[in-house]
Amino acid sequence: MVVNVLITFLIGSALAWILLKITRAPQHLHSLIIGCCAAGNLGNLFLIILPSVCEEDDSPFGDSSVCSTDAEAYAVLSMALGAIYIWSYVYPIMRIYANKATKDTGTHGSTTRDNISEETSYLHSEIGTEPLLPSEGCPSSEECMDQVEVHSTGSEGKAKVMFLEKTMLYLKKLAGHVDLKKLFAPSTIAAIFGFIIGIVSPIRKVLIGDDAPLRAIYNSVSLLGKATIPSMTLIIGANLLRGLKGSRVSPSLIVGIITIRYIIMPSLGIGIVKAANYFGMVGSDSLYQFTLMLQYALPPAMNVGTISQLLETGESECSVIMLWTYAVATFSLTLWSTIFMWLVS
């Protein structure tokens, strides 16, 4: 599941980059589009869907009590992983694009003039240095062609080296934009503590269980956690309401995001999970496979709106996108849940 959630983020961000190239979206919306396509709502929505599936009369997941317990565990684990990946992967990328948009807006005129002068000087240097006719060193056309082939081979080698250098430079740039204060957000810290308590058996026995001496602490935290579900639902409703009054967003962008989140990614998710099952990476547990597939069919995470507010870019457009994506999610989640249940049954 750790790898599967990461794959959803990587595929979503890659598809978002393609969408940006196709639609030529405004610069200030690049970070928002990448965030909406990369991060799925693995939070309260996921925690509501999974246990409810087990309560169906014709559920293919066996006993409802056992199914509900496993479903809640899978949902909480997905929620923790999603929180970690959002602040460690999505936030740095959105921050890079937001800073780039700010710089491009502030220095658009000077940058354009500099680019024109640089291109002009480059063309003059190229025209001045490249010979138009064969030189005395290569009297025949065949010898000249040989020299051109050697030159092109060396250019390909230089291009590979430049690609590796650019890749390393981009990774260093990405690491430099990681804000530790945002990375260790309250949700991330809570996920880390949850992993520690769940993995370390002595701590788990002290806090969790009917006979645990410190079970009052766990019950109090659990009670607060259950209260956050309706609270997050209210926040989602407030953000969607802002979408009705928000600014206009290109219909092509909205259709592109909906296509990525509700058509392309779920289809790819089926192939990835089935391939993992074929190669023995995923067990035969039908509920577990259903959980992995469902992670590809979720609407954008509400934390994307929080990040856009922190970065002060695309706030009103985010509400519009959230409105339409969550409106479509009411139908797409039902459809894909049915398809996934049919595939794993």
Side-chain angles (χ1 to χ4, degrees), residues 7-244:
I7 290 175
T8 62
F9 279 72
L10 294 176
I11 292 177
S13 56
L15 294 174
W17 182 80
I18 296 175
L19 178 63
L20 293 177
K21 296 299 181 181
I22 294 176
T23 59
R24 297 180 180 179
Q27 188 75 27
H28 71 282
L29 294 180
H30 285 190
S31 61
L32 176 62
I33 294 171
I34 292 177
C36 290
C37 294
N41 189 347
L42 296 168
N44 62 314
L45 185 63
F46 205 57
L47 191 58
I48 294 172
I49 294 174
L50 273 183
S52 63
V53 172
C54 299
E55 298 174 0
E56 297 292 332
D57 296 333
D58 299 330
S59 176
F61 305 126
D63 184 45
S64 59
S65 60
V66 178
C67 176
S68 298
T69 303
D70 293 341
E72 186 175 353
Y74 294 154
V76 171
L77 178 59
S78 301
M79 186 188 307
L81 294 173
I84 294 174
Y85 286 137
I86 284 175
W87 293 105
S88 63
Y89 175 75
V90 176
Y91 174 75
I93 293 179
M94 292 183 64
R95 185 181 177 189
I96 290 173
Y97 278 91
N99 293 340
K100 183 179 179 181
T102 304
K103 292 179 181 179
D104 289 348
T105 302
T107 60
H108 178 71
S110 61
T111 303
T112 303
R113 289 191 297 269
D114 292 341
N115 288 338
I116 293 175
S117 61
E118 288 178 1
E119 291 177 1
T120 304
S121 60
Y122 174 77
L123 289 174
H124 279 298
S125 62
E126 288 292 319
I127 294 173
T129 56
E130 291 293 329
L132 298 178
L133 296 175
S135 60
E136 297 179 357
C138 56
S140 63
S141 60
E142 294 181 356
E143 292 180 2
C144 290
M145 289 299 296
D146 292 339
Q147 293 182 5
V148 170
E149 290 178 358
V150 172
H151 178 70
S152 63
T153 304
S155 300
E156 291 177 359
K158 291 181 180 178
K160 293 180 180 179
V161 174
M162 291 179 63
F163 175 76
L164 293 176
E165 291 179 353
K166 289 182 179 179
T167 304
M168 294 300 296
L169 183 62
Y170 179 78
L171 292 176
K172 291 180 180 178
K173 184 179 180 181
L174 181 61
H177 281 79
V178 175
D179 191 346
L180 294 179
K181 292 183 179 179
K182 300 298 187 301
L183 176 59
F184 290 100
S187 56
T188 307
I189 296 174
I192 295 173
F193 274 103
F195 281 127
I196 294 174
I197 294 173
I199 293 174
V200 181
S201 180
I203 302 178
R204 186 175 67 249
K205 291 179 180 179
V206 171
L207 291 173
I208 303 174
D210 296 334
D211 299 330
L214 300 179
R215 62 183 179 274
I217 298 176
Y218 173 77
N219 293 334
S220 301
V221 174
S222 177
L223 185 63
L224 290 174
K226 291 178 180 178
T228 59
I229 296 177
S231 300
M232 286 296 298
T233 305
L234 292 175
I235 293 174
I236 292 175
N239 286 333
L240 297 184
L241 181 62
R242 288 178 57 193
L244 294 174

